[in-house]
Amino acid sequence: MMPMLSAITPPPVPALPPMLDLLGIAVFALTGALVAARLRQTFVTVAFFALVTGVGGGSVRDLLIGAPVFWIQDPLVAPVCFAVALIAWFTPVRWWEGKLLEWADALGLATYAVFGTIKALAWGVPTVAAIMMGVITGCVGGIVRDVLAGQPSILMRPELYVTAAALSAALAGLGIALGLSAQLTWAIAVFAGFTMRGAAIHWSIALPGHAGAPED
Amino acid sequence: MMPMLSAITPPPVPALPPMLDLLGIAVFALTGALVAARLRQTFVTVAFFALVTGVGGGSVRDLLIGAPVFWIQDPLVAPVCFAVALIAWFTPVRWWEGKLLEWADALGLATYAVFGTIKALAWGVPTVAAIMMGVITGCVGGIVRDVLAGQPSILMRPELYVTAAALSAALAGLGIALGLSAQLTWAIAVFAGFTMRGAAIHWSIALPGHAGAPED
Amino acid sequence: MMPMLSAITPPPVPALPPMLDLLGIAVFALTGALVAARLRQTFVTVAFFALVTGVGGGSVRDLLIGAPVFWIQDPLVAPVCFAVALIAWFTPVRWWEGKLLEWADALGLATYAVFGTIKALAWGVPTVAAIMMGVITGCVGGIVRDVLAGQPSILMRPELYVTAAALSAALAGLGIALGLSAQLTWAIAVFAGFTMRGAAIHWSIALPGHAGAPED
């Protein structure tokens, strides 16, 4: 007898076009693979980092909202992360040190923050929690990557990273709440988050930090 | 079609009164927000820490026992964590440096350790594993907070913290196993853990550590 | 009313003999308990590390594939981890510093990598993702142990550890895909991973790391 889980019919989630989806996961996976390569790790570790960074955020989101984890039953996602690890392993790291990867990551960040929010809303999650699911989808893969690598995580840098994901997720939640069309919501929310993150890359914009405690 | 998950009827769990529940989450969230503020983080990071610390332990417990994650469908928990982040951001850190927060945290620790144990038992988890769910409910939020902040976690300090949670959880498991009334079990278990943690705060009591290996 | 979860009928998973299963978990738990003991932690922390290291990998696997978490409903697994913590606490650390524990860990690593892969396949997970579930089953407990202890994780050491798990998991996936009998698949896959890990222990074999970036 099959496990009952396979009987869960997920609600229709406005999906990303499959190629775009895999491309986004590949970009995240590449950032993970490169962190491991720069730390002079072995191929197996590079592949592990690619997978964790590529699918970590979406996995945590799916576990929290009670959805089947998106990549487990998918025949392509895990192989794509593995292929990215091979590419990262056999190409010089400096190929990937230009701004192109950072811009691609910015687009992935904004896109997944919106996607995560909309998927959570489709599963019946209230708006504020759904926005947090969007932030988690965009950022948690990178946070786990940084914790495993023992480096200061994107969460702790003043750079506008998590904030850009939060902007995209909040606008997506707002757009749906206001009854905007899915297309318009996607366009506005991705554009805003991508622009904020792009501005942060281009002008090194950072948010002000808390002043800390007086005696610090 | 709605996902099947929404058809899960949770067993009746002796619930905390709603206001007390939100208050407990708010206290945990505040300890998370303050760690981020002391590290001079941005508002977004302060809010992320508030959420993770406030709901982390209960989320891991619910995932492990197969219950829907408690705060995802709740319209108030996520906004409360967000409001706590705003309060932490706009008030001076030194307001929160007295003992009051530590005592409130001690009460939250004991209460959630008991609550987590009883919820797990209600979901059919055997006693020893249920007690561990209680410890996880009380402590995991703080452990994740400390790992993300890169500071020595409450798990690794000799201070009676995890131990107080373990005392409350064990007494809760024992009380239910012995057939004591729910009220009496709650009262004894919360009181004992809170007293132990309070004694640790007041007299800086620590457990003896292992002697380590001879050559260390 | 009981929660619906209890109605999930798991697919028949080629199970480990119960005593072997508990022995494997106990070996992992012991490595966790000893890390905490060497760090001169308290008994409660030693017990926490025993549990996390003993059941961490299988818990993440079960959450990802949508299976009930294996140790939650089991009346023996949590008590075994607790008993291991007691043993680690009351015996001298040097008892455990010979090679025996390392070889037992090697056998546990290979066995659980195979078991995790086969369980995931039985739950309908495609081959590549199932192999990753095998690696996760074998390694994640140790990775979480090392992150919590603030020490460089097994993931980041060039030593053949994760690689041996990957070899066992890949051979298990391959054997099932090729239609080999379950017995033969188990035998080949466990033997290969155990031999690789054993060779790494005996001759300190390490994989070559990535050259890193030129300017590093």
Side-chain angles (χ1 to χ4, degrees):
Chain A
M1 185 182 161
M2 286 301 293
M4 178 158 294
L5 195 68
S6 59
I8 292 184
T9 307
V13 175
L16 291 175
M19 287 317 296
L20 187 61
D21 193 10
L22 286 174
L23 192 66
I25 290 168
V27 166
F28 283 167
L30 185 54
T31 70
L34 292 174
V35 164
R38 287 203 189 93
L39 290 170
R40 301 169 189 273
Q41 295 298 311
T42 66
F43 176 70
V44 173
T45 302
V46 168
F48 198 97
F49 270 78
L51 184 75
V52 166
T53 314
V55 306
S59 300
V60 172
R61 173 203 63 217
D62 286 346
L63 290 174
L64 289 174
I65 68 176
V69 177
F70 73 101
W71 60 278
I72 297 293
Q73 299 289 345
D74 188 294
L76 287 177
V77 173
V80 160
C81 290
F82 193 76
V84 164
L86 283 172
I87 293 171
W89 185 258
F90 286 112
T91 56
V93 168
R94 64 180 158 70
W95 276 25
W96 307 105
E97 296 196 322
K99 291 282 185 186
L100 179 61
L101 180 64
E102 233 178 327
W103 283 90
D105 183 72
L107 189 54
L109 179 72
T111 306
Y112 281 104
V114 174
F115 177 68
T117 306
I118 289 180
K119 179 169 183 180
L121 288 169
W123 278 76
V125 176
T127 303
V128 175
I131 291 171
M132 285 165 172
M133 294 301 112
V135 176
I136 285 172
T137 307
C139 302
V140 163
I143 292 171
V144 175
R145 172 196 67 206
D146 294 341
V147 167
L148 287 180
Q151 64 186 20
S153 98
I154 48 171
L155 186 60
M156 304 296 283
R157 281 182 257 144
E159 203 182 325
L160 290 167
Y161 192 94
V162 184
T163 308
L167 177 63
S168 279
L171 288 174
L174 193 68
I176 301 289
L178 293 178
L180 263 55
S181 77
Q183 284 76 3
L184 188 59
T185 301
W186 270 96
I188 293 173
V190 170
F191 178 79
F194 176 65
T195 303
M196 180 189 272
R197 178 70 194 132
I201 294 172
H202 194 68
W203 291 293
S204 299
I205 298 173
L207 274 192
H210 193 279
E215 76 277 37
D216 281 355
Chain B
M1 185 180 163
M2 286 301 293
M4 178 157 297
L5 195 67
S6 59
I8 293 181
T9 306
V13 175
L16 292 175
M19 288 317 298
L20 186 62
D21 193 11
L22 286 174
L23 193 65
I25 291 169
V27 166
F28 282 168
L30 185 55
T31 70
L34 291 173
V35 164
R38 287 204 188 92
L39 290 169
R40 301 168 188 276
Q41 295 299 310
T42 66
F43 176 71
V44 172
T45 302
V46 168
F48 197 98
F49 270 77
L51 184 76
V52 166
T53 313
V55 304
S59 301
V60 172
R61 173 203 64 216
D62 287 346
L63 290 174
L64 289 174
I65 67 177
V69 177
F70 73 102
W71 60 278
I72 297 292
Q73 300 288 344
D74 188 293
L76 285 177
V77 174
V80 160
C81 290
F82 193 76
V84 164
L86 282 172
I87 292 170
W89 184 256
F90 286 112
T91 55
V93 168
R94 64 180 158 69
W95 277 23
W96 307 104
E97 296 196 322
K99 291 281 184 188
L100 179 62
L101 180 63
E102 234 178 325
W103 283 90
D105 183 72
L107 189 55
L109 179 72
T111 307
Y112 281 105
V114 175
F115 177 68
T117 305
I118 289 180
K119 180 169 183 180
L121 288 169
W123 277 76
V125 176
T127 303
V128 175
I131 291 171
M132 284 165 173
M133 294 302 112
V135 176
I136 285 172
T137 307
C139 302
V140 163
I143 292 172
V144 174
R145 172 197 68 204
D146 293 341
V147 167
L148 287 180
Q151 65 186 19
S153 97
I154 47 171
L155 186 61
M156 305 296 282
R157 281 182 258 144
E159 203 182 326
L160 289 168
Y161 192 94
V162 184
T163 308
L167 177 63
S168 279
L171 288 175
L174 193 70
I176 301 289
L178 293 178
L180 263 56
S181 78
Q183 282 76 3
L184 188 59
T185 302
W186 270 96
I188 293 173
V190 170
F191 178 78
F194 177 65
T195 303
M196 179 189 273
R197 177 70 194 132
I201 294 172
H202 194 70
W203 292 292
S204 299
I205 299 172
L207 275 192
H210 192 279
E215 76 276 37
D216 282 356
Chain C
M1 187 180 160
M2 287 299 294
M4 178 158 295
L5 196 68
S6 59
I8 292 183
T9 306
V13 174
L16 291 175
M19 287 317 297
L20 186 62
D21 193 11
L22 286 174
L23 192 66
I25 290 167
V27 166
F28 282 167
L30 185 55
T31 70
L34 291 174
V35 163
R38 286 203 190 92
L39 290 170
R40 301 167 188 276
Q41 295 298 311
T42 66
F43 176 71
V44 173
T45 301
V46 168
F48 197 98
F49 269 78
L51 184 76
V52 166
T53 313
V55 305
S59 300
V60 171
R61 173 202 64 216
D62 286 346
L63 290 174
L64 289 174
I65 68 176
V69 177
F70 73 102
W71 61 277
I72 297 292
Q73 300 289 346
D74 188 293
L76 287 178
V77 174
V80 161
C81 291
F82 193 76
V84 164
L86 283 172
I87 293 171
W89 186 257
F90 286 112
T91 56
V93 168
R94 64 181 159 67
W95 277 24
W96 306 105
E97 295 196 322
K99 290 283 185 189
L100 179 62
L101 179 64
E102 234 178 326
W103 284 89
D105 183 72
L107 189 54
L109 179 72
T111 306
Y112 281 105
V114 174
F115 177 69
T117 305
I118 289 180
K119 180 168 183 181
L121 288 169
W123 278 76
V125 175
T127 303
V128 175
I131 291 171
M132 284 165 173
M133 293 303 111
V135 176
I136 284 171
T137 307
C139 302
V140 163
I143 293 172
V144 174
R145 173 197 67 205
D146 295 341
V147 166
L148 287 180
Q151 64 185 20
S153 98
I154 48 171
L155 185 61
M156 305 295 284
R157 282 183 256 144
E159 205 181 324
L160 289 166
Y161 192 93
V162 185
T163 307
L167 177 63
S168 278
L171 288 175
L174 194 68
I176 301 288
L178 293 178
L180 264 56
S181 78
Q183 284 76 2
L184 188 59
T185 301
W186 270 96
I188 293 173
V190 170
F191 178 78
F194 177 65
T195 304
M196 179 189 272
R197 178 71 193 130
I201 293 172
H202 195 69
W203 292 292
S204 299
I205 297 172
L207 274 192
H210 193 280
E215 75 276 38
D216 281 356

